[in-house]
Amino acid sequence: NGSDDAYSRTISLDAGVALAFAGPIGQALETGDVAELPTTVTFTATGDVDLGNAAISALDGITVSAGIDGSGGIRGNVITQLEVTNSGSDIELTAGSNSGAISLTNVSLTAVDRIGLEAAGGDIVHSGALITADELEITGGGNVTANTSIATLTAGLTGSGDLTLTNDRSLTASSATNDDGAISLTAYGNLVATNVRTSGGKDDDDI
């Protein structure tokens, strides 16, 4: 589904089972062309969402929701790129509430304002490329790893797993909590830890 008028170009794909998308949205196909970006792009699936080989650009927002029935993950690969360009623009990726991981090895995510990653029932794994935004919000139910270029982090882990994040500039961890695991934050610049807390009772539940 979609709409196209002078003020809004929206793209919405809904799948009753799994959804796989490969290809460009909002990309100039020829050198010298200027792409007309959609305002928002929304993908929703009852099961998994596979963004392998997807290159998606939008003005205000990209939202990907997997596991609407409670079980389903999101994955991409080295070709996958998600980017939003307007002031205040966001990217939101949500896996199933009961089970489902977000697997983003070598995936590039870029937003002007905020990126949200939520996998309440599974791991969030990002490496290789960068997650770039002013703010990153993480909700995880397992291990979380991320390679970032952000100013502010808000993270809450409620399952059993560690939070490991490496940031390429100064970072403010406004809130980073882990109910059962360790927290490791590395910033190539200043690191301001406003509220960083682990609640587990094991010897390796360190900060």
Side-chain angles (χ1 to χ4, degrees), residues 13-19 43-49 65-73 95-97 99:
L13 297 178
D14 300 297
V17 284
L19 187 154
F43 292 162
T44 305
T46 301
D48 294 335
V49 176
S65 301
I68 298 303
D69 67 348
S71 178
S97 57
S99 65

Side-chain angles (χ1 to χ4, degrees), residues 17 33 36 39 43 65 94-95 102 118 136 155 157 159 163 179 187-188 201:
V17 284
D33 287 351
E36 293 189 4
T39 305
F43 292 162
S65 301
T94 304
I102 297 178
E118 180 175 350
L136 175 63
L157 276 64
L163 169 62
D179 289 350
Y188 289 90

Side-chain angles (χ1 to χ4, degrees), residues 111-124:
V112 175
D113 184 25
R114 174 185 168 278
I115 292 176
L117 304 176
E118 180 175 350
D123 296 339
I124 299 173

Side-chain angles (χ1 to χ4, degrees), residues 15-27:
V17 284
L19 187 154
F21 183 87
I25 293 177
Q27 306 288 316

Side-chain angles (χ1 to χ4, degrees), residues 3-76:
S3 67
D4 188 353
D5 57 41
Y7 303 100
S8 177
R9 295 182 177 88
T10 64
I11 295 173
S12 178
L13 297 178
D14 300 297
V17 284
L19 187 154
F21 183 87
I25 293 177
Q27 306 288 316
L29 299 181
E30 301 289 341
T31 301
D33 287 351
V34 177
E36 293 189 4
L37 302 184
T39 305
T40 60
V41 175
T42 302
F43 292 162
T44 305
T46 301
D48 294 335
V49 176
D50 185 353
L51 298 176
N53 302 318
I56 301 171
S57 295
L59 294 174
D60 292 338
I62 296 172
T63 302
V64 181
S65 301
I68 298 303
D69 67 348
S71 178
I74 299 170
R75 58 182 176 269

